Amino acid sequence: MSPPTGADTVIERAAELDGWMSDDQGHRLWAAAAACPTGGRIVEIGSFRGKSTVVLAAAAPAAVEVVAIDPHAGNDRGPQEIEGFADEAAADHEIFLANLRAFGVAERVRHVRAHSGSAHPEVRGPIDVLYVDGAHRYGPARADLRDWGARVADGGTLLVHDAFSSIGVTLAILREITFTGRFRYVGRTRSLLELRAEPGTPRRGHVVRVLLQLPWFARNVGLKVALTLGLGRLLGDRAPDWPY
Ligand SMILES: C[S@@+](CC[C@H](N)C(=O)[O-])C[C@H]1O[C@@H](n2cnc3c(N)ncnc32)[C@H](O)[C@@H]1O
């Protein structure tokens, strides 16, 4: 099958891959990547099997570097998969590479097989589009937003998955993004948060918009607790999906 082209076709085909990117989130990622300036750089933290990577890479203008950072080491692999998934992660790595080939973007993506905390020397220069979807525990999520977020160029875009859905990611956002005055809230597609690096813009509107997401966060935490306790089974086919 020939590689897909164009937002609708790529996102439709990507929907068949394993991962946690919904179609509407794919469109937000596509728009951000497509707007990356010539000579710019897109960095993804947490690629898994490449579902979001193929969208970013297919959307990126020709002269843009696309870097995907994922150790495929079996830790922080997905919801409730924190440690001990080395065998699955080895398969993730092979499937990631195969998916990049199938989407015709294997040559467009530079994979850095490392944890984000040790990958900084592998990425030179400022970042125009940063997509954070790696470890979701508070410590590493906070380090990603703080240390990689600091590398987003003024005017650049920071996208964060599982915002106001994962407790660790949400606490990291509140700590590193909400009150610092460096990023402005742009919008959200489900749990995919988009921010713009605009130092010096008035903070109040941004802070209010972030805090307005907290009721949705409370709803998602409640939903996850209910699903973890098995209460979803009571609703059968009407049980809601794991929120992301
Ligand atoms: C939720 S998945 C990413 C999903 C992917 N973006 C998609 O659309 O399908 C999280 C990924 O982060 C990776 N990961 C875990 N810890 C990481 C870290 N410290 N740095 C980079 N990636 C990490 C895992 O190996 C896993 O593949």
Side-chain angles (χ1 to χ4, degrees):
M1 208 189 296
S2 57
T5 53
D8 290 343
T9 318
V10 170
I11 291 164
E12 197 179 304
R13 280 268 296 274
E16 295 163 17
L17 308 185
D18 287 336
W20 294 272
M21 179 197 75
S22 59
D23 288 6
D24 49 1
Q25 291 173 344
H27 281 282
R28 188 178 278 276
L29 291 180
W30 181 286
C36 187
T38 303
R41 180 172 295 106
I42 298 171
V43 174
E44 172 181 74
I45 297 174
S47 304
F48 188 56
R49 297 184 166 188
K51 187 170 193 162
S52 48
T53 323
V54 298
V55 171
L56 292 168
V64 164
E65 185 187 29
V66 183
V67 183
I69 301 170
D70 195 313
H72 289 141
N75 65 286
D76 299 287
R77 181 172 178 261
Q80 300 174 307
E81 296 185 353
I82 304 301
E83 261 181 359
F85 292 86
D87 290 347
E88 292 85 348
D92 295 342
H93 181 65
E94 295 307 320
I95 295 169
F96 168 73
L97 297 177
N99 285 336
L100 295 192
R101 286 194 295 274
F103 279 74
V105 295
E107 306 300 321
R108 291 289 287 120
V109 177
R110 180 161 68 86
H111 180 210
V112 175
R113 193 169 182 180
H115 289 89
S116 54
S118 54
H120 283 277
E122 304 291 333
V123 181
R124 303 224 162 195
I127 298 167
D128 299 283
V129 178
L130 174 64
Y131 178 40
V132 177
D133 191 17
H136 289 18
R137 289 172 294 115
Y138 174 66
R142 183 183 170 197
D144 283 344
L145 295 180
R146 182 189 60 219
D147 302 338
W148 285 95
R151 298 187 57 181
V152 175
D154 287 354
T157 298
L158 170 57
L159 297 142
V160 187
H161 201 256
D162 293 295
F164 314 112
S165 169
S166 148
I167 293 175
V169 174
T170 304
L171 293 178
I173 288 168
L174 292 174
R175 179 74 177 80
E176 294 297 333
I177 299 291
T178 311
F179 304 102
T180 57
R182 171 148 162 71
F183 289 100
R184 176 177 63 80
Y185 182 102
V186 174
R188 158 174 88 71
T189 303
R190 304 170 197 256
S191 77
L192 177 59
L193 170 66
E194 179 171 350
L195 302 144
R196 192 86 61 245
E198 283 180 2
T201 51
R203 269 196 300 180
R204 191 184 303 172
H206 161 77
V207 171
V208 168
R209 294 191 76 188
V210 171
L211 297 182
L212 280 174
Q213 311 311 313
L214 294 183
W216 191 70
F217 171 55
R219 170 253 188 210
N220 287 334
V221 172
L223 199 52
K224 286 182 179 184
V225 170
L227 291 172
T228 303
L229 293 175
L231 299 182
R233 279 197 293 272
L234 300 176
L235 294 172
D237 288 347
R238 290 183 295 117
D241 292 330
W242 190 264
Y244 63 88

